Amino acid sequence: VPLPTGLPDLARILRFGAGVIRSRTLPGGEMYHFRTYSSAGALYPVELYLACPELTDLSAGLYHFHPGELSLRRLRAGDVRANLAHAAADSALADARAVLLLSGIMWRSAWKYGARAYRHLFWDAGTMLANLLALAASEGLSRRLLTGFVDSELNHILGLDGDREAAIALLALGRAERAEQPSSLAPLELESVPLSRTEPVFEDARGLHAASVLASPEEVQSYRTAAPETLESGAEAGLEPLETVLRRRGSVREFSADPVPVDQLAATLALAAAPVPADVAPSNELYGIVNAVEGLESGVYRFEPPDVLELLRPGAFRLQAGYLVLEQYLGSLAAATFFLMTDLERVLETLGDRGYRATELEAGIRVGRIYLASYAQGLAATASTFYDDDVSSFLAPSLSPMLCAAVGFPA
Ligand SMILES: Cc1cc2nc3c(=O)[nH]c(=O)nc-3n(C[C@H](O)[C@H](O)[C@H](O)COP(=O)(O)O)c2cc1C
């Protein structure tokens, strides 16, 4: 079915949060499609589903979002929100107006990135979630992000095998009438068109995912460090209509040498560091290299929200910035290159192995917000991969880098 037109909020959120927005013909004649969020290598391993009660022009059900057609395909008829509430041990899901569900398909990134593709699922889900959260905020809808759920139960609802494709997060939006008791759901055995002749299996990545599965509602509850926080205000709303920002957004391929005003960098980092309405406490901090920011000495900085840029080490570090982002010159050219850094040991101690998913996802969301804030202010940005150990030793030896974004004016 087409996106529900009587509900501009959901149609807008899906289309501008996760749809295809640009297509380009490659030299060989192949058509390539780009989506509204950034994805490493443009490989888009994340799928998006929607569960809703009966709405004005959409019947109650579970749907898959088709990002190219901008349409929904119904996978299950009937309200599944009470089933979702059970799977995520969170009764608030039963009265959400809509629940968006994100899943990851490993091989789409793993053929290129190997086992490291495991973290790409959460990075890319994060950049998509940054869009979805900002759009929902601008619609005045409450947001509640859940990273803890009984994996097998949620995968069953979505019809996923949990191995080739697995659920990775739920986002509840707004409020509606509360769903009744969970219904018994038959296995979904739907066929989908294969996208590739073969699908390689990456045992290491598979093992990583299996290691952080939660097996019961009790395990979900003990994983949660706090009652899931619901964000009510429009804190993530942008400076101009988000459609305009999202149409302009892309990953910059060339920076100009012009310095960035310090208040623009600070506004970008403040949005990145703003609260995420998640079921676990935040774990990422921002450290970075400043090369060309008006009113700031060059050097290594730590950002303390809401607006303090603390100089840790003065110096000209353009070469190091380029080296740290896997020897890509965009890092050297950028006005500033910031890294989301986490005390991974502490995260794993507090949250168990599941904490790994949460902290990578949080970094993805914060980088997605760096994109939004940059493009809203006439700046440009690109996410980047990096040399893990070298970033740690250069910026903060006790922390591990989760993700990186370079910011500056576009050439
Ligand atoms: C997690 C992540 C890592 C990325 N790493 C790099 C990188 O190392 N170098 C780079 O030039 N672009 C990188 N990108 C940008 C992607 O290549 C880009 O998002 C993708 O090609 C889609 O294009 P678009 O962002 O312009 O829509 C990364 C993006 C993400 C989300």
Side-chain angles (χ1 to χ4, degrees):
V1 298
L3 298 183
T5 51
L7 283 166
D9 54 356
L10 279 186
R12 176 171 177 256
I13 290 166
L14 293 170
R15 177 174 179 206
F16 286 98
V20 168
I21 197 147
R22 242 189 332 270
S23 297
R24 202 172 294 151
T25 310
L26 300 182
E30 196 187 346
M31 188 76 134
Y32 218 95
H33 305 288
F34 292 87
R35 297 173 66 173
T36 55
Y37 63 95
S38 81
S39 162
L43 295 171
Y44 305 108
V46 175
E47 293 294 315
L48 183 59
Y49 299 82
L50 161 76
C52 62
E54 195 71 25
L55 300 172
T56 350
D57 54 359
L58 191 64
S59 30
L62 173 72
Y63 297 84
H64 174 255
F65 171 64
H66 190 303
E69 291 174 359
L70 300 176
S71 64
L72 295 168
R73 282 191 173 72
R74 195 166 72 183
L75 309 180
R76 288 187 188 278
D79 194 346
V80 299
R81 291 173 305 150
N83 297 73
L84 295 175
H86 189 269
D90 180 28
S91 64
L93 290 180
D95 63 13
R97 175 162 183 185
V99 182
L100 300 180
L101 304 120
L102 284 73
S103 74
I105 301 182
M106 184 88 68
W107 69 268
R108 287 197 191 151
S109 292
W111 66 264
K112 180 169 178 188
Y113 299 115
R116 191 178 174 88
Y118 184 58
R119 62 180 84 171
H120 283 263
L121 298 182
F122 301 95
W123 287 345
D124 284 18
T127 54
M128 184 198 282
L129 278 165
N131 286 358
L132 297 170
L133 287 164
L135 286 157
S138 76
E139 293 286 348
L141 291 171
S142 62
R143 284 97 56 216
R144 185 182 182 86
L145 176 67
L146 297 170
T147 60
F149 48 82
V150 180
D151 294 75
S152 58
E153 228 177 289
L154 188 52
N155 287 329
H156 172 77
I157 299 169
L158 290 167
L160 312 179
D161 66 2
D163 200 8
R164 177 188 170 272
E165 179 176 359
I168 54 186
L170 304 96
L171 175 63
L173 299 179
R175 283 207 186 79
E177 214 159 287
R178 177 164 283 274
E180 303 296 320
Q181 293 300 306
S183 41
S184 116
L185 298 176
L188 264 189
E189 275 153 12
L190 302 170
E191 274 185 44
S192 54
V193 179
L195 296 180
S196 171
R197 255 164 301 170
T198 54
E199 292 191 6
V201 172
F202 294 82
E203 289 299 345
D204 289 349
R206 201 186 239 186
L208 280 174
H209 192 67
S212 60
V213 152
L214 298 175
S216 66
E218 293 70 39
E219 284 190 17
V220 175
Q221 268 147 3
S222 63
Y223 157 76
R224 242 169 229 159
T225 52
E229 188 193 348
T230 303
L231 267 194
E232 301 288 352
S233 75
E236 298 134 279
L239 308 168
E240 64 177 315
L242 276 162
E243 285 84 341
T244 321
V245 177
L246 287 163
R247 283 191 195 284
R248 202 158 61 222
R249 191 213 65 78
S251 294
V252 67
R253 298 295 90 180
E254 184 88 38
F255 284 113
S256 89
D258 298 338
V260 166
V262 65
D263 56 338
Q264 289 201 341
L265 177 67
T268 302
L269 298 175
L271 186 80
V276 173
D279 52 355
V280 288
S283 52
N284 281 267
E285 292 179 70
L286 281 153
Y287 283 75
I289 298 174
V290 165
N291 292 317
V293 177
E294 256 169 48
L296 273 190
E297 196 178 341
S298 294
V300 172
Y301 283 81
R302 190 178 85 87
F303 180 69
E304 176 70 41
D307 56 7
V308 177
L309 274 153
E310 181 195 353
L311 178 61
L312 301 178
R313 199 173 352 141
F317 297 125
R318 279 194 187 272
L319 281 179
Q320 286 86 344
Y323 169 77
L324 292 177
V325 298
L326 212 73
E327 300 169 62
Q328 297 179 84
Y329 84 131
L330 274 168
S332 294
L333 290 180
T337 301
F338 270 81
F339 294 82
L340 278 310
M341 307 284 294
T342 287
D343 183 342
L344 202 47
E345 272 176 35
R346 201 170 60 94
V347 167
L348 299 177
E349 251 169 48
T350 323
L351 298 176
D353 288 342
R354 186 66 158 233
Y356 180 76
R357 301 190 195 179
T359 191
E360 295 281 9
L361 187 75
E362 182 196 325
I365 293 172
R366 300 200 186 285
V367 161
R369 288 173 171 176
I370 289 180
Y371 271 102
L372 292 176
S374 299
Y375 284 85
Q377 300 179 91
L379 300 171
T382 185
S384 182
T385 196
F386 44 84
Y387 287 125
D388 295 65
D389 294 346
D390 293 330
V391 174
S392 284
S393 13
F394 190 72
L395 294 181
S398 63
L399 304 178
S400 305
M402 294 292 109
L403 192 51
C404 162
V407 176
F409 280 109

